[in-house]
């Protein structure tokens, strides 16, 4: 049992890297809408006045011709829905949209067509009993804060906000349990001419206080709440920083509380195990904790390109398991098939569900319908309890 501080961050949907994740997944959704068997590896980069969409896509030409033609409008619609339109320096209506899309490599395709993994790699899943959704407390709270920051902008509660923004939350753990928040940081993109004191008061009263339970802020002072630490955040979005798909993978998962295999999710169809196996690993870890077999569970699974059977599976309960890791692994494999094609089938992953996941995390998403995040189900827990 340890005492420690742990910090996680999250970003709004208007952060440049998150814009790219959403654009990549919006393109993926459009391709899957026309051809559910499409193979997609689509990445995106944004900078001042420009978007570049690049990658490899294989799809039935008879089904997907209109989807390819729609890519520029998909890009512009995504940017405008995020909030970058006429009032911002970056504008979805007027930015240049460049595309460079090639077919998927035949060397990759021959392995995927045998129902093997679409790439090599190792993926991690994690769950713990910090929160009702079985996510680490720091990333859970960081997501809630940036979702609220976006909500007060969209609902005009704080009318001078623009789409970019970040949060960072430091939790104090006592005996391995989160007991209080030590520091909160909010960076909020705003219009010019707004006084700092007004921004700080508005963020505290309309973003932090409605989200953070008072008992978690006990003992915090003003100096532990940081709002726009540089003093202003007028230049934001792609004008301030270039963005790139897959550069916020820790925000997408567990906020650094668990290990990460390194692969990004966005823009990849589910034959890419970076995505589908990460969802499967989360599902298995979450059900282990939900079944009461451990308070914490991390699961690693590794694949070789073109091969269906995993090369390795590792389970770590960090000393919290009530049975051995070997026994847990045996239970899981008796009730779950980890081959990529079976993961895709079990979670029905050939659907256009991905853009909504590209902001605020792919795991622990209780704000979404369970049918769209089936890896968050705990339907295996009762089975595990009985075994």
């Amino acid at each position: 049992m340890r005492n420690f501080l742990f910090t996680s961050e999250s970003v709004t949907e208007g952060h440049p890297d998150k814009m790219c994740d959403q654009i990549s997944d919006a393109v993926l959704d459009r391709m899957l809408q026309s051809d559910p068997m499409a193979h997609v590896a689509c990445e995106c980069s944004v900078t001042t006045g420009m978007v570049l969409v690049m990658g490899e896509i294989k799809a039935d030409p008879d089904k997907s011709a209109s989807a390819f033609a729609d890519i520029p409008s998909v890009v512009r619609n995504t940017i405008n829905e995020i909030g970058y339109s006429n009032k911002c320096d970056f504008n979805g209506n007027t930015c240049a949209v460049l595309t460079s899309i090639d077919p998927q490599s035949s060397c990759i395709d021959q392995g995927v067509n045998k129902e093997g993994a679409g790439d090599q790699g190792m993926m991690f899943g994690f769950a713990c009993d910090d929160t009702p959704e079985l996510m680490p407390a720091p990333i859970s709270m960081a997501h809630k804060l940036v979702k609220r920051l976006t909500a007060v902008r969209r609902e005009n509660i704080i009318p001078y906000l623009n789409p970019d923004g970040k949060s960072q939350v430091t939790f104090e753990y006592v005996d391995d349990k989160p007991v209080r928040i030590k520091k909160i940081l909010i960076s909020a993109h705003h219009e010019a001419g707004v006084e700092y004191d007004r921004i700080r008061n508005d963020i505290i009263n309309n973003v932090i206080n409605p989200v953070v339970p008072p008992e978690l802020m006990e003992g915090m002072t003003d100096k532990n709440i940081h709002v726009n630490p540089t003093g202003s955040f007028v230049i934001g979005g792609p004008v301030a920083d270039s963005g790139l798909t897959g550069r916020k993978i820790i925000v997408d998962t567990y906020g650094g509380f668990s290990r990460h295999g390194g692969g990004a999710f966005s823009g990849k169809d589910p034959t890419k195990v970076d995505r589908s196996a990460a969802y499967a690993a989360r599902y298995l870890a979450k059900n282990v904790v939900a079944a009461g077999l451990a308070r914490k569970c991390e699961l690693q699974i590794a694949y070789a390109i073109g091969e269906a059977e995993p090369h390795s599976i590792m389970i770590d309960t960090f000393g919290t398991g009530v049975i051995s890791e070997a026994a847990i692994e045996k239970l899981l494999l008796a009730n779950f098939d980890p081959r990529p094609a079976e993961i895709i089938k079990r979670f029905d992953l050939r659907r256009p569900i991905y853009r909504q996941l590209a902001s605020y995390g792919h795991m622990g998403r209780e704000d979404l319908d369970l049918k769209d995040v089936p890896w968050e189900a705990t339907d295996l827990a009762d089975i595990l309890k009985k075994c």
Side-chain angles (χ1 to χ4, degrees), residues 147-303:
K147 279 194 277 189
R148 178 63 183 172
L149 186 61
T150 296
V152 298
R153 171 179 62 87
R154 290 187 176 278
E155 296 168 18
N156 217 33
I157 295 171
I158 305 181
Y160 53 80
L161 290 182
N162 284 329
D164 201 352
K166 291 183 175 184
S167 69
Q168 187 169 286
V169 179
T170 301
F171 260 89
E172 181 183 2
Y173 279 71
V174 176
D175 291 338
D176 268 345
K177 283 288 193 180
V179 295
R180 65 183 63 85
I181 294 173
K182 297 292 286 186
K183 292 183 185 293
I184 294 175
L185 188 157
I186 302 286
S187 292
H189 183 198
H190 62 89
E191 296 174 2
V194 185
E195 293 182 358
Y196 175 79
D197 287 346
R198 179 185 177 191
I199 296 169
R200 179 180 172 83
N201 289 335
D202 283 348
I203 293 298
I204 291 173
N205 292 327
N206 295 290
V207 177
I208 296 174
N209 289 344
V211 167
V212 183
E215 60 271 20
L216 289 181
M217 296 180 68
E218 186 177 345
M220 285 186 68
T221 62
D222 284 349
K223 69 178 183 179
N224 292 327
I225 298 176
H226 302 265
V227 176
N228 289 1
T230 66
S232 66
F233 188 1
V234 173
I235 303 171
V239 176
D241 293 293
S242 61
L244 186 66
T245 300
R247 207 154 57 183
K248 282 288 178 280
I249 56 176
I250 301 305
V251 171
D252 288 338
T253 53
Y254 308 103
F257 209 87
S258 170
R259 286 171 283 192
H260 195 290
F265 301 157
S266 290
K268 297 177 181 177
D269 77 85
T271 65
K272 299 290 190 184
V273 284
D274 281 338
R275 169 164 243 149
S276 52
Y279 294 162
R282 161 64 176 170
Y283 173 76
L284 294 173
K286 185 174 184 180
N287 276 272
V288 167
V289 176
L293 299 183
R295 284 186 45 239
K296 293 182 185 178
C297 181
E298 182 180 75
L299 186 145
Q300 187 208 53
I301 187 166
Y303 294 86

Side-chain angles (χ1 to χ4, degrees), residues 307-320:
E307 297 184 11
E309 294 291 340
H311 273 207
S312 67
I313 296 175
M314 182 279 298
I315 295 170
D316 190 349
T317 61
F318 306 94
T320 70

Side-chain angles (χ1 to χ4, degrees), residues 26-40:
V27 172
L28 170 63
D29 282 350
R30 181 65 186 90
M31 300 308 301
L32 292 176
Q33 187 179 34
S34 63
D35 180 6
M37 301 303 292
H39 293 168
V40 180

